[in-house]
Amino acid sequence: MLTDKELKNYKDDGYVAPIDVLSLEEVKEIKKEIEYIEKKWPDELVGLGRNNVHYISPIFDKVCHNSKILDAVESIVGKDILVGGTTLFIKEPDKKGFVSWHQDARYIGFEPYNWVTAWLAITEANEENGCMRMWSGSHKGKVKDHKDTYNENNLLTRGQTVQNVPIEKTAPNILKAGQLSLHHPMIVHGSGPNKSNKRRIGFVIQSYIGTNVDQVIGKVYVQQARGKDIFQYHTHAPRPTELMNKKDQEFKNKANEELSKIFYKDAKKTGKY
Ligand SMILES: O=C(O)CCC(=O)C(=O)O
């Protein structure tokens, strides 16, 4: 569980970090899994495929159901928890990929906001390699206007951007490999390009939702992470028992097609993710 101080930080600032969850051995195993998938199935984690790798990999599935992560999440959303989706945010050292200032709540479609995004560092995340920057307290306002920029280096689907963010009020969310941060649906956050010579990898459970949370834009599949789902708003997804089982892969593709409809609702065009 989060300590009282951590929970207060989350409530006051809109995020809490760092939380130690995985050992270096465990993150090494995850990194190896990514590299193995990329080598054997080069198209699998590209574009829209970066979403929901936990449907095809037991190693990623295990992360989503990790009890240390769920203990922390339970402090925020309560004991009935669903995994509502995952995304791999990989920033290559030789690319200009960045994430514009945004609020997750603006496009994800989960309501009410009894949910939290869990960002797990698979490599360290620091100012040099483009860690997230968080605008503390910005979650207390309203959902802000976002401009769709469709910038090709933007790692968000449509380059959605909150403008005029006071940079001096933002802080870097520095994490060691194996550490987690939890952020509120409404907090404004973003990240710059990776200026180091190594990959920066974040595995993001986007998001852990309370069972009372509906999807108001489209359809989403979920896994039961803890407790009971008395609401049954969503179709429950299978859990993988082997890597890249054909049925699981088809399921991931189906889930990602639905996710794409949510992310691109009312968009003028689609991007590469
Ligand atoms: O990985 C990043 O730099 C940004 C990820 C993000 O925006 C999120 O997890 O909500």
Side-chain angles (χ1 to χ4, degrees), residues 62-178:
K62 193 168 85 181
V63 174
C64 297
H65 296 266
N66 175 291
S67 60
K68 282 190 196 159
I69 299 180
L70 290 173
D71 284 347
V73 169
E74 184 173 329
S75 305
I76 295 170
V77 308
K79 63 180 175 35
D80 298 317
I81 308 169
L82 303 170
V83 179
T86 65
T87 304
L88 264 172
F89 276 97
I90 300 181
K91 282 187 186 164
E92 302 295 350
D94 51 349
K95 303 252 167 69
K96 296 186 180 131
F98 72 99
V99 173
S100 52
W101 299 112
H102 67 284
Q103 292 165 302
D104 295 345
R106 177 66 184 83
Y107 291 91
I108 286 185
F110 287 134
E111 289 185 18
Y113 297 151
N114 184 30
W115 50 275
V116 65
T117 300
W119 200 102
L120 177 66
I122 306 303
T123 62
E124 67 178 300
N126 54 39
E127 290 192 83
E128 189 191 15
N129 70 9
C131 66
M132 286 193 290
R133 290 191 74 88
M134 321 304 276
W135 179 5
S136 287
S138 57
H139 64 299
K140 290 179 180 162
K142 293 194 191 130
V143 176
K144 298 184 192 308
D145 285 338
H146 288 60
K147 185 174 176 208
D148 290 350
T149 63
Y150 301 101
N151 183 313
E152 66 166 314
N153 292 315
N154 200 320
L155 302 182
L156 296 183
T157 46
R158 51 169 102 186
Q160 56 266 37
T161 307
V162 173
Q163 292 176 303
N164 304 319
V165 169
I167 307 299
E168 70 285 0
K169 289 195 180 157
T170 67
N173 190 359
I174 296 169
L175 299 172
K176 292 190 193 129

Side-chain angles (χ1 to χ4, degrees), residues 122-253:
I122 306 303
T123 62
E124 67 178 300
N126 54 39
E127 290 192 83
E128 189 191 15
N129 70 9
C131 66
M132 286 193 290
R133 290 191 74 88
M134 321 304 276
W135 179 5
S136 287
S138 57
H139 64 299
K140 290 179 180 162
K142 293 194 191 130
V143 176
K144 298 184 192 308
D145 285 338
H146 288 60
K147 185 174 176 208
D148 290 350
T149 63
Y150 301 101
N151 183 313
E152 66 166 314
N153 292 315
N154 200 320
L155 302 182
L156 296 183
T157 46
R158 51 169 102 186
Q160 56 266 37
T161 307
V162 173
Q163 292 176 303
N164 304 319
V165 169
I167 307 299
E168 70 285 0
K169 289 195 180 157
T170 67
N173 190 359
I174 296 169
L175 299 172
K176 292 190 193 129
Q179 289 183 326
L180 184 82
S181 81
L182 294 173
H183 65 259
H184 189 281
M186 293 277 284
I187 189 171
V188 176
H189 60 290
S191 65
N194 179 0
K195 294 184 183 147
S196 77
N197 56 9
K198 294 196 199 108
R199 298 181 111 182
R200 189 225 68 171
I201 305 176
F203 176 59
V204 188
I205 297 100
Q206 195 158 48
S207 295
Y208 283 111
I209 66 175
T211 50
N212 64 330
V213 175
D214 205 352
Q215 170 50 258
V216 299
I217 301 177
K219 179 170 178 56
V220 78
Y221 297 90
V222 297
Q223 289 174 343
Q224 190 79 44
R226 232 174 223 184
K228 282 205 188 93
D229 181 6
I230 58 163
F231 294 90
Q232 293 287 321
Y233 288 142
H234 317 284
T235 308
H236 282 243
R239 294 184 57 183
T241 52
E242 59 174 349
L243 179 61
M244 285 291 274
N245 171 293
K246 194 164 181 327
K247 272 211 169 111
D248 292 334
Q249 204 194 356
E250 283 164 7
F251 182 79
K252 174 183 176 239
N253 291 342

Side-chain angles (χ1 to χ4, degrees), residues 9-51:
N9 287 349
Y10 179 80
K11 286 184 179 155
D12 291 348
D13 298 336
Y15 74 107
V16 56
I19 304 165
D20 292 321
V21 291
L22 297 188
S23 67
L24 286 181
E25 283 308 305
E26 287 169 311
V27 282
K28 215 163 133 192
E29 186 189 28
I30 296 167
K31 204 158 164 272
K32 247 175 80 185
E33 179 84 335
I34 294 172
E35 287 159 5
Y36 182 74
I37 297 173
E38 286 176 327
K39 189 147 189 252
K40 191 141 189 227
W41 299 281
D43 296 331
E44 189 58 31
L45 303 180
V46 173
L48 188 58
R50 71 181 179 167
N51 297 302

